[in-house]
């Protein structure tokens, strides 16, 4: 029987600790994905289980990939099930996640939607063309504590949404 697994795209992710805290509190497994140069284990607390417990619940695993562009993205996508949630600030990865029937949340707490992901991808593409031609585009606003709080709240809601949809899995 499937259950939610939380995948974290650890490439420059400012909310890895918060994501793991939510997973710990809601007793869901976590996979931290990143390239082999990132020391992914630094995010794991002493005492966090590193293998699935017999009764299910929270544990942390790392998924180390090569240094190539998008290596972590493709590794995450290939491991997903429709119940899973992915934390990423990469709109391209979010689009692939939604295409696999899973859910994605941005580091500022924005829950990506199949209804709007195409327009987000279009904007990303247009901005990339401007930059490629020497132009400038507006960068993101400074990351603030409100972003962390929104992220925690929305991630918890996503995880609980899955648990509520399949109560037989939570015994």
């Amino acid at each position: 029987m499937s259950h939610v697994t939380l995948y974290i795209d650890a490439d420059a992710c400012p909310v890895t600790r918060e994501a793991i805290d939510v997973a710990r509190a809601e007793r869901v497994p976590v996979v931290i994905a990143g390239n082999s140069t990132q020391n992914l284990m630094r995010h794991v607390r002493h005492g966090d289980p590193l293998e699935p417990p017999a009764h299910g619940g929270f544990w942390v695993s790392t998924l180390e990939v090569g240094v190539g562009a998008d290596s972590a993205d493709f590794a995450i996508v290939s491991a997903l099930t429709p119940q899973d949630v992915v934390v990423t600030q990469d709109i391209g990865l979010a689009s692939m996640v939604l295409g696999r029937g899973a859910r994605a949340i941005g580091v500022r707490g924005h829950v990506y939607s199949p209804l709007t992901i195409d327009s987000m991808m279009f904007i990303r593409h247009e901005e990339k063309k401007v930059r490629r031609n020497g132009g400038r585009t507006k960068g993101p606003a400074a990351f603030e504590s409100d972003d962390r709080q929104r992220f925690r709240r929305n991630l918890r809601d996503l995880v609980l949404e899955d648990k509520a949809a399949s109560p037989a899995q939570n015994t």
Side-chain angles (χ1 to χ4, degrees):
M1 213 177 254
S2 295
H3 61 283
V4 65
T5 297
L6 178 64
Y7 288 86
I8 302 170
D9 178 11
D11 182 31
C13 181
V15 291
T16 300
R17 177 170 288 130
E18 289 82 356
I20 295 172
D21 288 347
V22 168
R24 190 181 292 111
E26 300 305 329
R27 301 185 38 77
V28 299
V30 176
V31 177
I32 307 168
N35 70 51
S36 55
T37 65
Q38 289 185 306
N39 182 19
L40 300 175
M41 288 301 293
R42 76 182 184 278
H43 301 292
V44 180
R45 281 188 194 165
H46 179 74
D48 280 346
L50 302 178
E51 296 179 7
H55 54 78
F58 172 76
W59 56 282
V60 182
S61 175
T62 59
L63 177 60
E64 290 189 5
V65 298
V67 180
D70 302 323
S71 295
D73 298 358
F74 295 126
I76 290 170
V77 169
S78 68
L80 286 177
T81 68
Q83 293 79 20
D84 296 334
V85 176
V86 176
V87 176
T88 185
Q89 55 187 342
D90 181 335
I91 295 169
L93 174 56
S95 179
M96 289 189 287
V97 167
L98 295 176
R100 292 287 306 262
R103 291 155 302 154
I105 183 171
V107 299
R108 294 174 186 266
H110 173 77
V111 177
Y112 294 101
S113 165
L115 299 175
T116 58
I117 196 70
D118 287 342
S119 63
M120 294 175 77
M121 290 290 293
F122 176 76
I123 291 167
R124 180 183 88 154
H125 175 70
E126 292 299 311
E127 288 178 343
K128 192 173 194 174
K129 285 187 343 188
V130 169
R131 289 189 302 271
R132 201 176 302 137
N133 289 323
R136 295 179 146 267
T137 57
K138 184 177 178 186
F143 194 80
E144 298 181 354
S145 63
D146 286 350
D147 296 316
R148 286 185 198 285
Q149 292 170 2
R150 184 181 324 101
F151 171 79
R152 276 182 180 273
R153 182 178 60 249
N154 291 349
L155 177 59
R156 183 174 179 273
D157 289 349
L158 278 176
V159 170
L160 291 176
E161 175 183 296
D162 180 73
K163 286 179 151 188
S166 52
Q169 298 174 15
N170 301 316
T171 57

